[in-house]
Amino acid sequence: LDRSLQTVDTLLKTGNVTVDAILSAKLAQARAAGIAVTAEANLPPELSLTDLELSIVIGNLLDNAIKFTPAGGEITIRASMDKDWLTVSFTDTGIGMSAEFAQNVFEPFERERTSTVSKIRGTGLGMAITKNIVDMMGGNIKVKSELGKGSEITIGLRFKTTSATKNRGVIQELNGFRA
């Protein structure tokens, strides 16, 4: 196995869970599958994307885009920040979803019939977990899809940049403690 194809499990075990680490691993996986990936980001340089939860969300969404996009297909990631609102969309030219399935995609164990017939691996839990995490972070997630044409999944999250939190100061009684 190519060492550049790290899995999310490996990253979790090593404690090296950052959005950059997840993106690097997933982009290598996409390239190995013959899928072109384009990223368009308009993010402030002080934005710190190190949250484990956000890493899991991005990992799950990219994993699905890779899994359901055939070789020769494309995935586009767009990220932007408006004040403290982070928007990230994942668009693919994969197999897409039926309108009926798209309404239930966030339900645990739901799988599109075409994915089970075509033997694409999965449990039907990734999107349920992703939505749960996005909800816990106070965000939203939207799905647009057309069967046979691809999907676009967009997440929106309230996210403060590090410069906004830099000047919080130190609580002397807690200085030196780790949680």
Side-chain angles (χ1 to χ4, degrees):
L1 261 198
D2 184 342
R3 288 188 155 184
S4 66
L5 297 177
Q6 294 181 12
T7 63
V8 174
D9 288 341
T10 303
L11 294 169
L12 288 169
K13 287 175 188 167
T14 63
N16 187 21
V17 182
T18 65
V19 172
D20 285 344
I22 296 294
L23 282 172
S24 293
K26 292 298 175 187
L27 294 179
Q29 185 181 356
R31 279 190 215 102
I35 300 168
V37 179
T38 305
E40 303 167 9
N42 182 17
L43 301 174
E46 68 273 10
L47 182 65
S48 174
L49 299 178
T50 57
D51 289 87
L52 172 62
E53 292 85 2
L54 184 59
S55 297
I56 292 169
V57 166
I58 288 174
N60 280 347
L61 293 175
L62 271 174
D63 191 46
N64 275 358
I66 294 165
K67 191 182 336 182
F68 295 106
T69 301
E74 297 177 22
I75 298 170
T76 302
I77 306 164
R78 288 183 186 86
S80 63
M81 189 88 180
D82 183 19
K83 296 183 182 162
D84 63 350
W85 192 256
L86 173 67
T87 302
V88 184
S89 69
F90 302 83
T91 306
D92 65 59
T93 60
I95 64 173
M97 298 176 244
S98 66
E100 297 80 22
F101 178 71
Q103 293 176 352
N104 298 313
V105 70
F106 299 117
E107 297 298 320
F109 303 108
E110 283 294 321
R111 302 225 29 227
E112 177 77 88
R113 182 166 170 13
T114 56
S115 67
T116 56
V117 168
S118 63
K119 309 266 191 277
I120 294 173
R121 66 176 173 77
T123 61
L125 288 173
M127 291 300 280
I129 291 167
T130 297
K131 178 158 181 14
N132 193 325
I133 292 171
V134 169
D135 287 348
M136 287 187 328
M137 293 177 79
N140 60 51
I141 186 167
K142 298 173 187 165
V143 176
K144 287 191 230 173
S145 188
E146 189 174 339
L147 195 57
K149 301 226 179 194
S151 300
E152 179 180 23
I153 313 289
T154 303
I155 59 170
L157 298 169
R158 189 150 322 282
F159 211 91
K160 301 223 184 284
T161 58
T162 55
S163 65
T165 57
K166 243 192 256 193
N167 300 323
R168 287 191 292 183
V170 174
I171 301 171
Q172 290 304 320
E173 294 82 12
L174 299 178
N175 193 15
F177 285 93
R178 295 178 64 176

